[in-house]
Amino acid sequence: MHLGIRIGVFDSGVGGLTVLKSLQQTFPEAHFVYYADSNRAPYGTLDTETIWRYSARIVNYLLDREVDLIVVGCNTVTTEVIERLRANYAVPFVGIEPAIKPAAQSSSSKCIGILATERTLNSIGYTRTRDQYASECKVIERVGVGLVEEIEKGIIESAALNALVESFVIDFEEQSIDTLVLGCTHYVLIRSLFSRCFKNPITLMDANEAVAQRAFNLATPVKQVQQMVECYTSGSTQLLRRIIDHLEINAVTKIEQLEL
Ligand code: DGL
């Protein structure tokens, strides 16, 4: 049992809360500090240096809060700058990357779809993983244009979001994929919308559980405390609260606006 550990989690916005949700189950006694950079989202179209600058600012804050471990709840930050974060900070980092390896292994048709941000799909980290683990698959890659922006409005069920998801699904169905990787933590928030839009059976994959497991393997016990979740955002606290409620994240002691 990993008791009393302090874990920092961050994302460009509210998507990383899906990772926090998985971590909560794995670390029942942890103190979480979550930062959503909603005011600057999406990160997925920014250049690497800007993603680095924003990420470093958040990491500095989380270190001020004396976290023992940082979970990067953002595929874009992970695939772009996690190596640089590891080289510059002594704290252990756990990142999240599109679940391409399990998707390639479990697909029967060997035709899989990857939906992610532009930066993730163009990153060296992602292409290396794809070439290593999915060389026997046909991989259909699409940028989820507009999805993060819609989700950051805090409306998980809207006609606009529905139409957007529908358009991606039609495209993927034409390509006959049997597995779709949700390669951005924001998309995990609308997993059920994807399920509903596919007419044919589809396996949806994300890496959230794998990330929680990796964090568990890295963490060391401290002392026993009650689980506690502090949430900060550079954007709207209302939006953050709405997504926290939607995911039924419990033990939340603070939701505050914080500009870094
Ligand atoms: N949740 C982020 C990810 O997993 C979204 C990136 C963005 O802000 O575009 O990539």
Side-chain angles (χ1 to χ4, degrees):
M1 179 76 89
H2 293 62
L3 302 172
I5 190 165
R6 291 172 73 91
I7 303 177
V9 187
F10 75 97
D11 179 34
S12 63
V14 292
L17 287 170
T18 63
V19 180
L20 175 66
K21 177 82 184 171
S22 298
L23 288 164
Q24 269 200 309
Q25 279 142 23
T26 311
F27 293 92
E29 320 271 342
H31 180 158
F32 293 98
V33 182
Y34 182 86
Y35 191 82
D37 202 5
S38 289
N39 205 25
R40 297 189 184 86
Y43 278 14
T45 46
L46 301 176
D47 60 78
T48 308
E49 273 313 299
T50 309
I51 294 172
W52 162 253
R53 221 177 46 247
Y54 292 167
S55 303
R57 229 182 264 174
I58 300 169
V59 167
N60 287 334
Y61 170 69
L62 293 173
L63 291 176
D64 282 350
R65 300 298 317 277
E66 299 181 327
V67 297
D68 306 297
L69 171 74
I70 294 182
V71 176
V72 180
C74 179
N75 293 261
T76 308
V77 171
T78 303
T79 51
E80 283 285 330
V81 300
I82 199 157
E83 294 308 332
R84 202 162 155 189
L85 287 170
R86 288 190 175 122
N88 280 274
Y89 296 94
V91 70
F93 286 92
V94 177
I96 187 162
E97 286 188 58
I100 190 159
K101 183 181 171 186
Q105 283 169 346
S106 65
S107 165
S108 332
S109 68
K110 296 297 170 205
C111 182
I112 63 177
I114 315 285
L115 193 62
T117 69
E118 188 185 321
R119 296 307 313 178
T120 296
L121 292 178
N122 288 327
S123 67
I124 295 168
Y126 164 76
T127 46
R128 201 191 299 131
T129 308
R130 181 199 57 203
D131 297 346
Q132 190 174 352
Y133 297 109
S135 56
E136 283 166 18
C137 286
K138 186 174 169 196
V139 182
I140 314 293
E141 296 164 345
R142 294 290 181 264
V143 175
V145 178
L147 285 174
V148 170
E149 288 87 336
E150 271 311 310
I151 294 164
E152 282 291 324
K153 290 179 188 163
I155 306 159
I156 299 300
E157 300 279 338
S158 73
L161 201 50
N162 216 73
L164 210 47
V165 169
E166 189 84 28
S167 69
F168 289 115
V169 167
I170 289 169
D171 179 18
F172 280 125
E173 286 199 312
E174 275 169 9
Q175 308 286 336
S176 307
I177 62 163
D178 69 353
T179 306
L180 175 62
V181 176
L182 301 175
C184 167
T185 51
H186 280 74
Y187 309 161
V188 181
L189 280 166
I190 52 166
R191 169 186 272 274
S192 59
L193 184 53
F194 277 100
S195 301
R196 268 182 278 139
C197 288
F198 273 97
K199 287 180 205 74
N200 302 319
I202 187 83
T203 304
L204 297 174
M205 288 219 169
D206 65 64
N208 288 9
E209 288 305 323
V211 167
Q213 197 47 52
R214 179 123 14 102
F216 187 78
N217 295 340
L218 266 185
T220 41
V222 189
K223 65 177 182 345
Q224 184 159 7
V225 292
Q226 273 212 311
Q227 191 177 78
M228 203 191 280
V229 182
E230 291 177 47
C231 293
Y232 300 91
T233 177
S234 58
S236 142
T237 50
Q238 245 180 329
L239 159 71
L240 194 60
R241 186 180 297 278
R242 205 175 301 146
I243 305 295
I244 285 168
D245 291 347
H246 172 76
L247 288 171
E248 296 177 359
I249 291 178
N250 47 37
V252 177
T253 52
K254 207 181 253 188
I255 300 178
E256 267 181 31
Q257 215 265 344
L258 177 70
E259 197 57 55
L260 294 178

